[in-house]
Amino acid sequence: MNRNMIIRTVIEGLVGWVLLALVVMYAKDMTFVQALIAPHTLVMATAGFLGTYIGLRKKAEKQANT
């Protein structure tokens, strides 16, 4: 597993989580911390982490095979 892929996954996942929390914060009129730890936000952020990891892994495999 490439170290750069893990770092990129974490960075993109964290940025997505923060942006999602900002959207939830303004849409549901709650504080930023409440939006960060809301159950639906955590589930969506986890799906974003996994999606980024799977996508980057498939891209790396595709480049390795060509």
Side-chain angles (χ1 to χ4, degrees):
M1 191 174 341
N2 193 356
R3 186 176 186 171
N4 290 333
M5 184 171 60
I6 294 172
I7 293 171
R8 185 172 172 190
T9 300
V10 170
I11 290 172
E12 288 182 13
L14 288 174
V15 169
W17 184 26
V18 169
L19 290 176
L20 179 63
L22 286 172
V23 169
V24 169
M25 180 180 78
Y26 288 115
K28 300 224 177 210
D29 194 32
M30 56 176 58
T31 65
F32 180 69
V33 175
Q34 288 175 330
L36 272 177
I37 61 173
H40 58 279
T41 306
L42 292 174
V43 169
M44 291 174 70
T46 304
F49 278 110
L50 291 174
T52 302
Y53 174 72
I54 291 169
L56 288 175
R57 196 171 96 195
K58 284 186 176 184
K59 184 178 177 181
E61 287 176 4
K62 186 177 179 182
Q63 288 178 350
N65 290 335
T66 58

